[in-house]
Amino acid sequence: MSVSEIISATHTYALGLDKFDPKLALSAFAVDAVWDATPVGLAKYEGHEAILDFFERDAEQVKDQFHIITNHIVHFDSETTAHGTNYVFSEGHTNGGAAFKAIALNEDTYVHTDDGWKIASRVISPLTPPQMEGFEA
């Protein structure tokens, strides 16, 4: 059991988004993962194909962005499952000039796979009112 591997998965997700590399971002997730940002006004995606589709649309629409993920708390439920939280601060601009910003809480579950620890589910909830007008991905 490795907290550092779980934290690395969350950072890989952010790096993939910020480098406009959807496959790198997706590599942080289990094949049957759920990514749910309905609490911040986006959608819920289930499985690699749907999550990759969203990450690709994001990469096409966004001009610049960054994600800072911090304050990780991880609890191991077994040798192969865990859950935890972390904070995310994201800001950027779309190709159309709209600005967006979100300060949110990621509530995650994790699973240990043959490829190491992966995010099994992520629910993104706002900590401050999100500014998502013009973000259509």
Side-chain angles (χ1 to χ4, degrees):
M1 296 188 289
S2 172
V3 171
S4 65
E5 283 185 38
I6 289 172
I7 293 172
S8 181
T10 68
H11 291 171
T12 297
Y13 156 77
L15 181 63
L17 292 179
D18 295 345
K19 289 184 71 175
F20 302 98
D21 185 342
K23 290 184 180 175
L24 178 60
L26 184 67
S27 73
F29 290 84
V31 174
D32 58 351
V34 175
W35 186 92
D36 183 358
T38 55
V40 293
L42 297 177
K44 178 179 179 180
Y45 302 97
E46 297 184 39
H48 260 197
E49 187 176 319
I51 295 169
L52 179 60
D53 179 65
F54 169 71
F55 290 167
E56 288 174 340
R57 286 184 286 121
D58 176 79
E60 290 171 5
Q61 180 188 5
V62 173
K63 178 181 177 183
D64 56 56
Q65 68 182 344
F66 74 89
H67 292 77
I68 297 172
I69 298 183
T70 188
N71 295 19
H72 289 81
I73 297 174
V74 176
H75 301 280
F76 289 94
D77 302 310
S78 71
E79 290 185 13
T80 59
T81 61
H83 69 279
T85 58
N86 54 76
Y87 292 164
V88 58
F89 175 38
S90 175
E91 189 171 3
H93 301 90
T94 67
N95 289 325
F100 58 89
K101 180 167 74 171
I103 300 169
L105 176 69
N106 290 328
E107 295 179 88
D108 294 343
T109 62
Y110 309 102
V111 62
H112 191 270
T113 70
D114 291 341
D115 295 323
W117 284 95
K118 302 288 182 179
I119 301 167
S121 68
R122 167 161 285 172
V123 177
I124 306 168
S125 299
L127 293 171
T128 62
Q131 300 168 11
M132 305 296 286
E133 189 173 327
F135 186 84
E136 301 291 332

